[in-house]
Amino acid sequence: MEQHELNGQLRPHLLLFPFPGQGNMNSMLNLAETLCHSGLHITFLNSDHNQQRLLRFTDAQERFSRWPTFRFQTIADGLPADHPRSVSTFFEMLNSMKATAEPLFREMIIAARQESGQWPPLSCIIADGIMPFTIDLAEELKIRAIIYRAISACCLWTFFCLPRLFAAAELPFQGDDDEVDMDVPIKSVPGMEGFLRRQDLPSFFRTKDPNDPVLQKLHAENQQMTQVSALVINTFEDLEGPILTQLRSQVPNLYTVGPLHALSSRRQHSSSSSASNIAASNSLWKEDSSCMAWLNSQLPKSVVYMSFGSLVVYGKDTLMEFWHGLVNSGKLFLWVIRPDSINVSGGEGETILAEVVDGAKERGSLVVEWAPQEEVLNHPAVGVFLTHSGWNSTMESIYAGVPMICLPCFADQQVNSRFVSEVWKVGMALDICDRGTIERVVRDVMEQKREELVESIGGLAKLARKCISEGGSSRCNLDRLIQDLRSINLV
C-alpha cells in the first residue's frame, strides 16, 4: 500500500486520453511526461492504431518505462488499419471514436475506478476536449474531470464567440462561395477587432447553415468547458496573455503550461536551443534523420524547411505550385512530403514523389518522407519554416526562434496564421498558393525582412524560455496543476 500513498494519503491515479491524431497525442504525451516526476500514477490511453505506430517508430516504451507509476493502455478507434486518418476524414474519425470507443471507455474507467493491486483506483480523467463523451462519462461516474486542449487560446476564444458572431450577423457568410468577400473585418471577437477577417476564422465557420452540426458540437464543447473543474492549454502567458484574459471570463481555472514540448522534464536541463538537447520523438511516422547530416553542410539560415504536418493532403497541382515556387526562389529547401499526402489515384503519387525527390537532389535540396521536426527547427541552417500553422508546429517554431511562412488549411490554423503575421509579427501569411506568391514571400522572409523577423521571433523565444524556467508562468502553472491533482484524494 505504501507505493500507492503520498504523504500518508492515497496517490491520485490520472487517466490521460488524447484524440488519436498525431498532434493531439504528441502534445498530451508531453504533458504526461511533465507529470511523471510528480509521483502520480498515470495511465495514458492511446488508440490501438497509434500505439502500434508509436512503439514501431520511437523509443516511447523504453523511455516511459523509467517511471514505474506510468503505463500505456489502448482502445479501438473503430477504423480499419488502412484508413487514411487525414484532414478530409477528421469528422469520420470523431464519429468513429464516439461510436466505438465510448462503450469501451465506459467499461475501462469502471474497472479502473475499482482497481487494486499495483495501481490505485482511478481518481481523475484529463481528456481531449474534442471528445466530450469522455467528460460526460467522468461526471456520470463521479470522477474528477479536466479538459485538455491542444489548440491555441486565440482559436479557442473564437469558438466561445460563436453566439456573438451569429447575433451580430457576421455568421453565416451571405452569398455564393465565389462571391463572398473573405477580407471583410470581423468585429464580434473581443480582443481581435482590429485585425481579424472572415478568412482568419476557423475553417468550421464557413458553413451557410446556422444549425450546422459541427457548429452545434463546438457550442456544446464550450458549454462543457465552463462546467469542468479546470482547463489545460499548451500555450504561455507572454504569448497569448490578452486572449487568455478573455478566455478566463468563461473558464476561470485555466492552466497555461506551454510550450509543452520544451517544458517536458527531459529538456529542463537545456538552457539553449541546440539540437543536441532535443528529446526523443513521439512520432507516428519513421523519421529520416539523414536530413540532419545534410543540414550540417549548409550555411546558417540558408534553408527553407517545409512541412504541412500529419493530416494535410494536397493534389498534384498544389504540389507543383509549391515545387516551382521553392525552386524559383533560388533557396535551398528541406521539404517533408508524406507518401500519403499526395491526393492522386493509382501509382501516380509514387511517380510524382520520385520526380520531386530527384529534382530536389539535382538542385542541392532535399525531400524526405518525415523529419525530426524539433531537431530540424533548432538547426542553425534553417532560416524559415513554411508551415500549415498547426499549433504544435507554431509553438515549436517560436521556441526555436525560426520565422514562419504560413499557409493554413484547417481548423485552428487560420487563426494561428493571422496571429503569427499580424499580432506577433514573426512571419508572413500566404492567402493564395501559387508559384509566384511562394517565390516572392520566400525571398522576402529570407532576404528583405529577415533581420526584422529574426529579431521579433527571437524576443518571443526568450519569453518562452523564461516561462518554462524556475519561477516562470508555465512552470508555476504546472506546479499548481500538480498540487491540484495531488489534492484530489484529500477531499
Side-chain angles (χ1 to χ4, degrees):
M1 178 62 72
E2 289 183 1
Q3 64 177 326
H4 296 166
E5 293 183 353
L6 186 67
N7 299 325
Q9 298 288 336
L10 196 65
R11 289 178 186 266
H13 173 190
L14 320 176
L15 185 145
L16 275 67
F17 188 11
F19 174 74
Q22 166 73 81
N24 300 64
M25 184 211 69
N26 179 30
S27 178
M28 194 176 279
L29 203 50
N30 283 329
L31 174 62
E33 194 158 359
T34 65
L35 297 173
C36 277
H37 290 277
S38 65
L40 305 170
H41 281 75
I42 298 171
T43 296
F44 192 90
L45 185 57
N46 235 346
S47 70
D48 294 330
H49 178 270
N50 281 5
Q51 186 69 5
Q52 290 172 9
R53 295 184 67 89
L54 183 70
L55 299 187
R56 179 182 176 188
F57 297 125
T58 76
D59 66 344
Q61 187 71 58
E62 178 183 355
R63 198 166 77 239
F64 280 91
S65 68
R66 293 178 293 171
W67 292 287
T69 57
F70 177 94
R71 66 181 178 183
F72 283 111
Q73 287 189 342
T74 62
I75 195 167
D77 65 9
L79 299 170
D82 60 353
H83 189 279
R85 294 172 171 84
S86 64
V87 165
S88 62
T89 62
F90 178 78
F91 291 105
E92 184 181 344
M93 294 165 66
L94 272 177
N95 293 335
S96 181
M97 282 297 294
K98 178 171 175 56
T100 301
E102 183 174 6
L104 298 175
F105 186 65
R106 174 186 288 275
E107 295 175 7
M108 182 175 292
I109 60 176
I110 289 174
R113 188 68 164 152
Q114 302 168 345
E115 198 151 10
S116 61
Q118 294 185 345
W119 285 75
L122 182 66
S123 51
C124 179
I125 293 172
I126 302 179
D128 200 311
I130 63 175
M131 298 189 298
F133 71 84
T134 57
I135 305 299
D136 292 339
L137 285 175
E139 292 176 349
E140 176 189 334
L141 298 171
K142 301 188 185 319
I143 299 174
R144 176 80 173 275
I146 294 174
I147 286 178
Y148 176 78
R149 293 307 302 257
I151 60 175
S152 60
C154 51
C155 179
L156 200 55
W157 180 234
T158 65
F159 291 169
F160 272 100
C161 292
L162 269 170
R164 296 173 184 258
L165 289 164
F166 278 105
E170 293 193 296
L171 285 182
F173 303 152
Q174 300 300 318
D176 296 332
D177 289 344
D178 57 355
E179 297 176 351
V180 174
D181 184 356
M182 296 302 285
D183 287 323
V184 169
I186 294 293
K187 301 294 186 182
S188 302
V189 181
M192 303 186 195
E193 299 93 339
F195 56 87
L196 201 68
R197 306 163 299 173
R198 283 176 170 173
Q199 65 181 299
D200 306 318
L201 290 170
S203 59
F204 308 132
F205 289 20
R206 299 184 182 186
T207 177
K208 295 294 192 296
D209 179 8
N211 297 312
D212 184 277
V214 174
L215 297 184
Q216 298 298 317
K217 179 181 183 300
L218 290 174
H219 181 67
E221 288 175 5
N222 295 343
Q223 292 298 109
Q224 191 179 62
M225 274 187 284
T226 64
Q227 297 166 6
V228 296
S229 62
L231 172 64
V232 179
I233 307 183
N234 180 23
T235 189
F236 59 100
E237 298 290 332
D238 285 328
L239 183 67
E240 296 193 272
I243 300 303
L244 289 166
T245 298
Q246 300 282 356
L247 199 53
R248 286 188 172 99
S249 68
Q250 302 295 317
V251 190
N253 194 17
L254 179 61
Y255 299 93
T256 55
V257 293
L260 270 170
H261 76 280
L263 186 59
S264 179
S265 58
R266 65 186 184 268
R267 305 165 191 226
Q268 290 175 5
H269 67 278
S270 174
S271 59
S272 70
S273 60
S274 62
S276 60
N277 288 320
I278 297 301
S281 168
N282 295 326
S283 176
L284 300 180
W285 279 266
K286 184 179 180 180
E287 295 177 340
D288 186 345
S289 296
S290 67
C291 63
M292 300 310 299
W294 179 82
L295 285 172
N296 288 339
S297 65
Q298 309 307 324
L299 295 174
K301 302 190 183 304
S302 64
V303 174
V304 179
Y305 170 59
M306 178 174 166
S307 175
F308 271 27
S310 58
L311 292 176
V312 173
V313 175
Y314 37 71
K316 177 181 178 181
D317 291 343
T318 300
L319 187 76
M320 288 297 100
E321 293 301 310
F322 281 132
W323 165 254
H324 288 292
L326 289 172
V327 170
N328 294 343
S329 75
K331 307 299 180 184
L332 294 175
F333 56 86
L334 170 59
W335 187 0
V336 174
I337 307 179
R338 302 185 332 269
D340 64 344
S341 68
I342 306 174
N343 186 22
V344 293
S345 59
E348 188 180 0
E350 294 180 5
T351 302
I352 294 172
L353 181 56
E355 291 174 353
V356 170
V357 169
D358 291 341
K361 189 180 298 183
E362 291 171 4
R363 291 163 175 81
S365 291
L366 185 64
V367 174
V368 296
E369 293 185 1
W370 197 247
Q373 179 161 292
E374 293 172 47
E375 194 172 355
V376 167
L377 287 172
N378 281 276
H379 196 285
V382 174
V384 66
F385 181 15
L386 208 168
T387 172
H388 63 311
S389 294
W391 189 236
N392 284 344
S393 291
T394 301
M395 291 287 277
E396 290 163 8
S397 199
I398 287 172
Y399 190 78
V402 177
M404 286 165 270
I405 297 173
C406 304
L407 184 61
C409 303
F410 178 70
D412 64 323
Q413 296 163 16
Q414 284 83 6
V415 185
N416 299 342
S417 172
R418 193 61 170 171
F419 269 72
V420 164
S421 63
E422 300 302 315
V423 180
W424 304 321
K425 299 188 184 301
V426 294
M428 295 180 65
L430 292 170
D431 290 335
I432 57 174
C433 175
D434 64 62
R435 63 190 68 185
T437 302
I438 292 168
E439 174 188 352
R440 174 181 57 79
V441 173
V442 166
R443 285 181 172 174
D444 279 351
V445 174
M446 296 285 278
E447 296 171 4
Q448 289 91 339
K449 298 186 178 181
R450 172 174 163 177
E451 292 185 9
E452 173 189 344
L453 292 173
V454 167
E455 182 178 357
S456 294
I457 201 163
L460 271 187
K462 289 179 181 177
L463 291 174
R465 288 180 174 80
K466 180 181 177 182
C467 283
I468 65 169
S469 300
E470 194 70 37
S473 60
S474 293
R475 189 71 172 271
C476 290
N477 272 324
L478 175 65
D479 292 341
R480 185 168 65 90
L481 174 62
I482 291 170
Q483 288 303 117
D484 191 11
L485 293 170
R486 284 176 173 169
S487 71
I488 290 174
N489 287 337
L490 301 180
V491 295

